[in-house]
Amino acid sequence: MKRRLLAALGGAVLAFSLAACGGEGAGGDTDTSGQAPQDLTIGVSMPTQTSERWIADGNSVKEKLEAKGYKVDLQYAGDDIPTQSQQVDQMITRGADVLIIAAIDGTALSSQLQAAADKKIPVIAYDRLIRDSQNVDFYVSFDNFKVGVAQANALLVGLGLQNKDGSKGSKTGPFNIEVFAGSLDDNNAHFFFDGAMQTLKPFLDNGSLVVKSKQTAIEQVAILRWQQETAQKRMEDLLTSTYNDGSKVNGVLSPYDGLSRGIITALQNAGYGPAANPIPVVTGQDAEIASVKLINDGVQGSTIFKDTRLLAEQAVIAAEAFLQEKQPQANDTTTYDNGVKVVPSYLLPVQTVFKDDIKTALIDSGYYTAEEVAAGQAK
Ligand code: BGC
C-alpha cells in the first residue's frame, strides 16, 4: 500500500523503500493506487472445504476479483489453525496487497496480522471477526445476531408457538427442545446463540419450551469446529441420557445445516421420522444444498439463507477501496468490538427459508436450480 509520506518525499526514497522490500512482489509498502489490477494480488484465506458455503465463498470472491483483472491467491486451511497461519504467512511473503481472511479461530492469527500491518497490507475479516488484534481494517459479514433471532423464530413457528408474522401461534406446548451452538472460537457462534436464546427466553420462562437436558450454557452445547459428527454424537448422547423414559424431543435449535444433518441422523437412527414418531423441528443455517433437499422433503424444518454472492461482492468492494487508498464504506461502526477496537463493518441481511420459500429465495434468485434442490446436490 501507498505510504503517503514516502510518496511525498519523492522517487529516491521510494526507490530505496522498494529495494528494501527485496523481491517480495508488489505487496505491502508499495503504492497500489495507481497500479493496474493485473499487478495486484489479493490473498484469500478460507477455513475449510468440508462445508459447501466456504467453497462457494472462495469461488465467488475469486471469480469476482479475477473478473476485474486482479490476481488471486486462494487457500483453504482444512480447519487446521497452524495451516491457516502458515498460508497467511505465505500470502504475505508472496506479495499480497490485501488480505481477505475467514478465520478458523478468531484469535489465532495475531502474529500474521502484525506482519501484514508492518507491511501496510490491509486486512479484511471475512464473515468471521478476527479478535484481539488492532490489525483488522474492515469486517464484511451478515447480521449475525439476527441470524440467531431468525433461527429461534423458525423453531417457534415450526412448533406452532408463533406465526410467521410474529403473532401468537395456535399451540401452547410444553415442548421439549435441545439447543446446540457452533464453535466457541468462532465469534459468530456467540452472536447466533445470544440472538436465539434471547428470543427463546420468554418461552423458556413461561414453560412452553423446556430444555429437558438442562444444558443451556453455550459451553455445554458448543460443537468444536462445527463438526457434523460431533453434533450427531451429542444428539445421540442426549437421547440416551435424557429421553430414555419415553419422552420425546419436539425441537432442536441448530445453528448450521451441517450440524442439523448430524442431529437428524441421530434422531432417525433412534426411530424418529414416521408419522407416529415425527422428526422434531430442526433449524439450520447456510442453505446448504443437502439441507435444502431435506427441507423440501419435510425432514429439516428451516435454514437461514445468507447469500454468499453478496458477501463476496462486499469483500471485493472493500478490497478495491483499500487498493485505491480509500476507506471502504461501513454500515455498522458499533457492534463488532474485537476486544481491542470496534472494527468498521458492512453487514448484510439474512433470510429465513422454510419449504415454501425455497422457490422464491433460492431458485428464482439463481442460487440453485430446481434440479439441484431435487437431487440435493449442487453442480
Ligand atoms: C458462519 C456460518 C457457518 C459456520 C460454520 C460461521 O462462522 O457464519 O455461516 O455456518 O461458520 O461454517
Side-chain angles (χ1 to χ4, degrees):
M1 289 298 291
K2 180 165 77 176
R3 275 185 188 161
R4 290 179 202 284
L5 180 62
L6 278 184
L9 286 176
V13 180
L14 186 58
F16 171 77
S17 162
L18 289 175
C21 285
E24 289 173 344
D29 294 335
T30 49
D31 176 354
T32 54
S33 65
Q35 283 184 262
Q38 53 269 29
D39 296 328
L40 297 167
T41 303
I42 290 95
V44 182
S45 172
M46 289 284 149
T48 176
Q49 278 171 307
T50 56
S51 150
E52 281 164 26
R53 81 146 283 191
W54 299 114
I55 300 174
D57 283 279
N59 289 343
S60 284
V61 174
K62 188 169 191 288
E63 278 164 23
K64 288 176 201 301
L65 286 168
E66 285 177 349
K68 286 171 176 285
Y70 296 106
K71 286 188 280 192
V72 178
D73 185 358
L74 168 65
Q75 306 289 336
Y76 286 90
D79 256 343
D80 182 55
I81 298 165
T83 302
Q84 186 163 42
S85 307
Q86 197 185 20
Q87 288 175 341
V88 174
D89 272 332
Q90 280 168 359
M91 287 174 191
I92 296 170
T93 323
R94 287 199 288 254
D97 295 283
V98 174
L99 291 170
I100 297 175
I101 302 174
I104 298 165
D105 177 329
T107 61
L109 290 169
S110 297
S111 73
Q112 283 69 34
L113 297 201
Q114 189 55 53
D118 292 345
K119 292 186 148 206
K120 308 266 191 295
I121 302 171
V123 172
I124 300 166
Y126 186 93
D127 195 53
R128 296 175 171 175
L129 186 64
I130 303 177
R131 294 192 53 84
D132 301 343
S133 170
Q134 178 64 36
N135 305 313
V136 187
D137 299 287
F138 201 69
Y139 179 42
V140 291
S141 189
F142 295 87
D143 190 326
N144 294 303
F145 187 84
K146 281 202 187 138
V147 170
V149 172
Q151 287 169 337
N153 281 329
L155 181 63
L156 295 170
V157 169
L159 290 170
L161 288 170
Q162 190 171 285
N163 299 317
K164 281 188 185 175
D165 64 5
S167 60
K168 204 170 172 332
S170 57
K171 303 275 173 58
T172 50
F175 292 113
N176 290 328
I177 62 162
E178 294 299 333
V179 299
F180 283 68
S183 198
L184 289 177
D185 52 9
D186 179 346
N187 196 55
N188 288 350
H190 301 265
F191 276 78
F192 302 151
F193 195 68
D194 288 349
M197 292 310 270
Q198 279 186 33
T199 308
L200 296 181
K201 187 167 187 306
F203 298 85
L204 293 165
D205 288 350
N206 73 15
S208 48
L209 290 179
V210 177
V211 180
K212 193 155 185 275
S213 69
K214 299 198 166 52
Q215 296 181 17
T216 54
I218 192 166
E219 294 77 14
Q220 294 174 301
V221 306
I223 302 294
L224 183 67
R225 297 284 115 74
W226 304 88
Q227 290 283 318
Q228 177 166 338
E229 304 71 31
T230 315
Q232 180 176 336
K233 173 79 171 57
R234 175 163 184 262
M235 192 68 237
E236 286 165 0
D237 291 347
L238 286 168
L239 290 171
T240 315
S241 65
T242 312
Y243 295 90
N244 60 358
D245 57 359
S247 58
K248 295 292 175 195
V249 195
N250 305 118
V252 182
L253 175 80
S254 166
Y256 153 57
D257 286 344
L259 303 191
S260 313
R261 293 196 296 276
I263 291 162
I264 287 169
T265 302
L267 291 163
Q268 289 174 328
N269 288 346
Y272 285 88
N277 187 20
I279 196 94
V281 177
V282 180
T283 63
Q285 174 172 203
D286 289 343
E288 291 200 333
I289 190 67
S291 287
V292 175
K293 178 172 166 42
L294 289 177
I295 294 169
N296 206 28
D297 293 347
V299 179
Q300 185 172 319
S302 60
T303 188
I304 307 299
F305 175 43
K306 307 198 304 191
D307 194 333
T308 51
R309 297 168 300 188
L310 301 182
L311 186 60
E313 199 170 292
Q314 281 308 319
V316 170
I317 290 171
E320 278 209 298
F322 282 125
L323 290 169
Q324 289 159 9
E325 305 296 327
K326 294 179 193 140
Q327 279 302 314
Q329 203 183 341
N331 65 3
D332 185 307
T333 52
T334 54
T335 309
Y336 285 96
D337 187 333
N338 80 346
V340 176
K341 69 177 196 184
V342 178
V343 183
S345 311
Y346 195 98
L347 305 181
L348 290 157
V350 300
Q351 196 179 347
T352 306
V353 174
F354 297 99
K355 183 175 176 163
D356 289 352
D357 308 299
I358 292 176
K359 183 168 179 316
T360 43
L362 302 174
I363 298 176
D364 294 350
S365 75
Y367 204 71
Y368 295 128
T369 63
E371 293 69 39
E372 288 173 323
V373 171
Q377 230 179 342
K379 284 187 196 114

